Amino acid sequence: HLRLLVPFSFSVLLLGTLESLLAASQLDSLTGRRRDSDREAAAQGWSNIAGALVGAQPSAGAVSRTVICQVSGGHSQAAVYLYSAFIAIGVLFAPEMLREVPMSAVAALIATTSVFLIDDWVRGTPRLLLTRTALPAPQRRMLAINYGFMLLVAGALVVTSIPTALLLGVLVSMACWCR
């Protein structure tokens, strides 16, 4: 069983940590503050160890929940506690009611959430690249390369899977760093 358990555990650890750090980074860009990444990753790990001791599923911070909470006005730790309490109440005491939520409502919520997740950089870069006078040629070339790599990884995510896109992103980053 260890041959299955160890790679799965490592994958959950890696993906959960990256997702939590990405959520923290997104929150930092929204608030203008800087978080301690080591502390965030350690807290994530310890919370998953504690959860595993009582039979909980692995958890991670999510960009979508973080951004929606921030944009909706949840700027304090109380917003996190309230969100967690509402989710727990729904799952523990009203699972039958949750089954009655139409899939079209869930799809609409996901579609609306996805709009908030598109970064200003992603939206603004094509316009910046098309305006030839906005940037010097070497800077525009580097921006175009970075944007192309972002599109490559995003396309891999859509076409294949998260692990494949993650691996591609790491390999592309390594190739860029070695240049």
Side-chain angles (χ1 to χ4, degrees):
H1 294 291
L2 284 177
R3 278 190 322 193
L4 294 173
L5 187 61
V6 170
F8 175 76
S9 299
F10 183 71
S11 296
V12 169
L13 167 91
L14 183 64
L15 290 173
T17 302
L18 287 174
E19 179 71 16
S20 292
L21 292 175
L22 180 62
S25 173
Q26 191 75 15
L27 186 61
D28 287 349
S29 70
L30 286 172
T31 62
R33 291 184 300 180
R34 184 99 175 123
R35 298 187 183 285
D36 182 1
S37 297
D38 291 337
R39 184 171 172 240
E40 293 284 336
Q44 182 68 39
W46 285 113
S47 70
N48 279 325
I49 289 170
L53 294 175
V54 295
Q57 295 288 325
S59 65
V63 175
S64 59
R65 292 188 301 262
T66 302
V67 171
I68 287 175
C69 183
Q70 183 69 26
V71 170
S72 301
H75 302 290
S76 70
Q77 195 65 29
V80 175
Y81 297 138
L82 284 172
Y83 174 82
S84 300
F86 281 121
I87 294 295
I89 289 168
V91 170
L92 294 174
F93 301 112
E96 292 81 25
M97 289 174 48
L98 292 176
R99 279 190 220 116
E100 298 300 321
V101 175
M103 290 307 287
S104 58
V106 174
L109 184 64
I110 291 170
T112 304
T113 302
S114 66
V115 172
F116 286 115
L117 297 179
I118 299 174
D119 186 290
D120 289 338
W121 180 82
V122 173
R123 283 191 214 118
T125 299
R127 191 174 329 115
L128 193 61
L129 288 172
L130 293 173
T131 308
R132 297 205 180 264
T133 58
L135 295 172
Q139 207 173 13
R140 194 172 67 247
R141 185 176 149 269
M142 183 56 70
L143 184 61
I145 290 170
N146 287 336
Y147 198 77
F149 285 147
M150 183 274 306
L151 289 175
L152 178 71
V153 173
L157 176 66
V158 170
V159 173
T160 60
S161 64
I162 291 174
T164 304
L166 180 66
L167 179 63
L168 180 63
V170 168
L171 291 175
V172 165
S173 296
M174 289 170 49
C176 287
W177 187 74
C178 290
R179 283 183 48 192

